Amino acid sequence: VSTDNIEAFQLETISQEYPSFGNTDLRSPAIELEFEDGSTITDLRYDGYKIYETKFPLEGLPSTYVENDKDVETLEIYLKDNLKDIKVILMYSVFENFNAITKAVKIINKSNEDVYILRALSANVDFKQDDFDFIQLSGAWARERYIIRSNLRAGIQSVESRRGASSHAHNPFMALVRKDTTEQNGDVYGFSLVYSGNFLASVEVDMYNKARAQIGINPFDFKWLLKKGEKFQTPEAVLVYSSNGLTGMSQIYHNLYSKRLCKGRYRDRVRPILINNWEATYFDFDEVKIKEIAKEASKLGIELFVLDDGWFGKRNDDTTSLGDWFVNKEKIKGGLGKLSKEINEMGLMFGLWFEPEMVSPNSELYKKHPDWCIHVPGRTRSTGRNQLILDLSRKEVCDYIIKSVSNILESASISYVKWDMNRNMTEVGSAALPPERQRETAHRYMLGLYKILEEITTKFPNILFESCSGGGGRFDPGMLYYMPQTWTSDDTDAIERLKIQFGTSLVYPSISMCCHVSAVPNHQVGRITPLKTRGIVAMAGNFGYELDITKLSQEKKSIVKEQIKLYKEIRKTIQFGDAFRLLSPFESNEVAWMIISKDKYEIVVSYIKQYAQPNTWDKPLKLTALEADAKYKIIGEGSIFGGDELMNIGLVIPK
Ligand code: DGJ
């Protein structure tokens, strides 16, 4: 018998802020708990609120932060299940100047029994209509984050990861947009999750044609034991609304993520132009070869040399040595200290690749600690790229990683780290957790990873960290919190990159997107594109090279030198300006974008035709967001145009 007239209406017909399971709202719940009596019903009632004029960090998890912001307020709404004495805190922070709201949830078990959390999402938004399109960023290795837009329909539509990483397959993001929403106009509701592990982003259209949007940790294979007195903190969701189309949403995420999620010394600094030896040498290098590449790079104006995979243990291919973080003296005879110094003397900073979360079965580490990997006793330990994943739910494993990475970082003059992660989780279980906690492994792994990253990035504040996961398999806001740039994709083909970078830019700023000019024929797709095209495409983000420049002709070297000079002139605008997407590679043969510097004086426009066509003619490209009355001069050419002219007639692109 209801005490509050609840039978007079169905909760299902009205909007819920944080729906729980078991009542008259039969749509997907945001929270589901299991009690000792086997029941899974919670009845959360309002129990007060509090407002703070600041924002607090989330315990153990990355999140957006405040920095002398007077305009960020946090609202905490308290909910309570009276029968079981479970407290739920809904935490909302409003970033007034950035135009975004963050949302996270804390669950506190005040009852006299242990409970299981079966589902605890970070955000739930109930819309009164379903006339939206669903936008997702999906793909695979080497073709990450393609933009897919589809009609919402009755039932559940979702993207998720069950792979133990946010993944190449789907990004922890979705947007709901009106049918007529374009790049520049129309309503957009963006949902992004500050998390790097298994996530769920879903929309349920119910029988009354209302849409329920949810985002959070994936409930699939998740079960968390919350003992009496314990708390559970969900990751943070970042909710954005824009009436200025997809560009409006992207700019909000770009500004917030580059200024209030990324942190550290490099947050506000232009990023160095780097050269990475991976596609130049793969595992086949020695100290002499490395120095030859670095020497040529320094002559051309490159600022940072990155030594990729293969410098440690006995690693001459990918079958061995992950976990053995000591230098391979056969390849680098003088050691890293000497090599890094010599590279510094050439005028370059020195950077190093690691893959610290992994162990090769063929390694010293695995021999010593065969139970340190994620596994289930008696079951196959499936390898991916010949490697297993270390069990970061264990403190001693995290400590080992912190110590072995720190030892190397202290042993040489290292200014940059590329932190890679090259496989997904299988046979998930931890030798250190009791049976009732096995399904906590994947989330505990993330908590362990975040702890490692917090410690290492704090201990080495001057190092620039770049995250990577077989290219862009963990390009997510969780990683960006610790590492302000990400290797966008293992596909370095300029034409393929157009889609990848265009899609990535929906949420992530150019400065976070690392883009390299590589050799032709391209190693992933075999395509030959002009060096000029490769340069223009890579300049859409954080610029670098990844090829053996010692093998380039003098003519090509001077083109590279010019590219580097140009990028140095315009990188402040590219890395810190406001980006506008003009022509989409998903919709046309032509691809264009522009970035306006924050002071509005400089505009960088980029235009690429994907496939050459015969018999074409000069064509205008309409720019946007300029000052109509201002005059704009084309650098290097001298012609002057009015802002109104460029916006209404367009910039003429020579055929
Ligand atoms: C995957 C990365 O994405 C590549 O750039 C390279 O670092 C390799 N791993 C090295 O094994």
Side-chain angles (χ1 to χ4, degrees), residues 278 308-309 315 353 385 418 420 422 468 470-471 487 490:
W278 180 242
D308 210 279
D309 196 354
R315 189 140 164 114
W353 177 97
R385 207 195 188 202
K418 178 176 173 189
D420 204 349
N422 282 299
C468 171
W487 179 224
D490 273 348

Side-chain angles (χ1 to χ4, degrees), residues 372-387:
W372 271 17
C373 63
I374 286 191
H375 71 284
V376 174
R379 296 278 175 201
T380 304
R381 298 181 183 194
S382 302
T383 51
R385 207 195 188 202
N386 306 301
Q387 60 202 52

